[in-house]
Amino acid sequence: MQKAAQKWGIDMEIFKAVVYLLLGFVLLIKGADCFVDGSSSVAKRLHVPSIVIGLTIVAMGTSLPECAVSVTASINNNNTLAISNAVGSNIFNLMVVCGACALFAPLAVNTKVFKKEFPFSIICAILLLGLGYLQMELGHIDSIILVTIFVVYLIWMIISAKKARTDISQEEAYKVIPVWKTILYIVGGAVAIKYGGDFVVDGASVVAGKLGLSQTLIGLTVVALGTSLPELVTSIVAAKKNEVDMALGNVIGSNIFNILFVLGISGVISPVAFMMDNIIDIVILIIMSIFVWVFGWTKKEISRIEGIIMLLMYVVYLVYICIR
């Protein structure tokens, strides 16, 4: 590797970073492919709708990078990174992941999800805004409240899954892969997604640093975007496999998981301090969530045009955080 870098006159550190980036993307793509196939098999084997699997197993699996980054930041008493990462990732999930998926195929909206889970994700953001604005800190008690709500949410999802079981006679219509392969796909895919996200973040951080970007800006952009790559790749793969419900469920579930569990656990370890920029970002998240909810509710789908609008809105947000 070193000889190749010297041959082309490339900085060794940047060369390694690019290699990490490429390796990370390969792991993300292949890991997401296996993860979606395994998760789809679970849904079909248990006769549970893909949207429920997307809201739970897939959402929590693809949120491993956010969880790892935020918990590590909390242990190191760097909770500003934890809140920026979680909120930045949620905005990316909502606008870029959903927007990009809509470019491949219009995202058909599950009416029940837009009546329950999606409004619940907005309520979670409003709750985070309230807790943060009142004391400019997410304390131990506040964090325990968030984690408790997450446990209740999981119980709600389990009950919903039991109610939503389809008729056993439908089993013949599905090609279900063996149990051992399902487990291998889900676990192996999750591991590949986790390390793929790490490699991309590490590689991009080095390149950004070499280009002279500040650590604060890197945290708000590279880290938040990098840890959301699993959601992006997994949802796009799901959309291309016609698992549209899983793609949408992944985004909504991940956003709920990031606020209630990731920030909740971070705050339990060490109180999360808020800055006014964090408050503004949460307000932007709420406004963008309402936009997406309106897009989906009016025509019962998110069209390609609306997907482009969402991507453009995110570009405007990126410009804003770069110049503020």
Side-chain angles (χ1 to χ4, degrees):
M1 185 184 291
Q2 189 169 357
K3 289 182 179 179
Q6 290 173 346
K7 180 181 178 181
W8 294 98
I10 303 172
D11 183 281
M12 187 59 193
E13 200 172 355
I14 292 182
F15 185 76
K16 284 183 178 179
V18 172
V19 172
Y20 273 126
L21 273 172
L22 295 175
L23 179 59
F25 280 123
V26 170
L27 286 173
L28 279 172
I29 293 169
K30 296 305 295 181
D33 198 33
C34 291
F35 196 77
V36 169
D37 284 345
S39 300
S40 298
S41 181
V42 170
K44 293 163 186 175
R45 184 177 292 278
L46 298 178
H47 309 292
V48 174
S50 294
I51 187 70
V52 176
I53 299 297
L55 284 163
T56 52
I57 297 174
V58 178
M60 288 185 281
T62 55
S63 288
L64 286 175
E66 286 94 334
C67 190
V69 168
S70 294
V71 170
T72 301
S74 182
I75 293 172
N76 295 330
N77 291 317
N78 186 19
N79 274 339
T80 301
L81 177 60
I83 185 69
S84 298
N85 175 42
V87 176
S89 294
N90 278 17
I91 293 174
F92 183 89
N93 289 345
L94 195 66
M95 308 309 287
V96 178
V97 176
C98 283
C101 287
L103 296 183
F104 286 92
L107 282 177
V109 169
N110 186 307
T111 306
K112 291 182 179 178
V113 172
F114 264 61
K115 281 183 179 179
K116 297 179 180 178
E117 284 82 5
F118 199 100
F120 179 65
S121 70
I122 299 176
I123 292 171
C124 289
I126 294 172
L127 176 61
L128 180 64
L129 175 66
L131 293 174
Y133 185 74
L134 287 175
Q135 300 176 331
M136 294 305 289
E137 181 183 77
L138 192 65
H140 292 302
I141 301 299
D142 301 327
S143 301
I144 290 172
I145 290 173
L146 292 181
V147 174
T148 302
I149 294 174
F150 178 72
V151 172
V152 173
Y153 165 75
L154 271 186
I155 294 172
W156 175 31
M157 284 292 97
I158 292 170
I159 293 173
S160 297
K162 288 182 177 180
K163 288 183 178 178
R165 284 178 181 274
T166 55
D167 197 300
I168 290 181
S169 63
Q170 291 183 348
E171 186 173 11
E172 295 177 1
Y174 299 120
K175 182 182 178 182
V176 181
I177 62 179
V179 175
W180 68 268
K181 191 176 286 188
T182 299
I183 296 172
L184 181 64
Y185 277 12
I186 292 177
V187 175
V191 171
I193 287 169
K194 195 274 179 191
Y195 284 103
D198 286 348
F199 288 158
V200 169
V201 171
D202 291 343
S205 295
V206 171
V207 173
K210 286 288 184 178
L211 293 176
L213 301 179
S214 69
Q215 289 299 315
T216 301
L217 185 57
I218 290 171
L220 284 169
T221 54
V222 176
V223 177
L225 307 188
T227 54
S228 288
L229 281 176
E231 283 90 343
L232 176 62
V233 178
T234 302
S235 291
I236 289 177
V237 170
K240 290 177 72 175
K241 290 176 179 284
N242 291 319
E243 292 283 0
V244 180
D245 276 353
M246 187 176 291
L248 189 59
N250 177 31
V251 169
I252 298 171
S254 292
N255 283 11
I256 293 171
F257 183 81
N258 287 343
I259 291 176
L260 297 183
F261 185 79
V262 174
L263 287 181
I265 291 296
S266 298
V268 168
I269 295 171
S270 176
V272 181
F274 276 70
M275 297 187 298
M276 188 50 65
D277 283 345
N278 298 137
I279 300 297
I280 294 172
D281 289 335
I282 297 172
V283 171
I284 291 173
L285 170 62
I286 294 169
I287 293 172
M288 287 182 170
S289 297
I290 293 172
F291 262 100
V292 176
W293 187 85
V294 171
F295 283 163
W297 190 257
T298 50
K299 297 180 181 179
K300 307 306 178 188
E301 73 171 19
I302 298 175
S303 66
R304 286 187 174 88
I305 297 299
E306 289 167 338
I308 292 172
I309 292 172
M310 289 160 64
L311 292 172
L312 291 176
M313 288 175 67
Y314 185 77
V315 170
V316 172
Y317 169 71
L318 266 188
V319 173
Y320 162 69
I321 63 175
C322 286
I323 64 176
R324 73 181 179 188

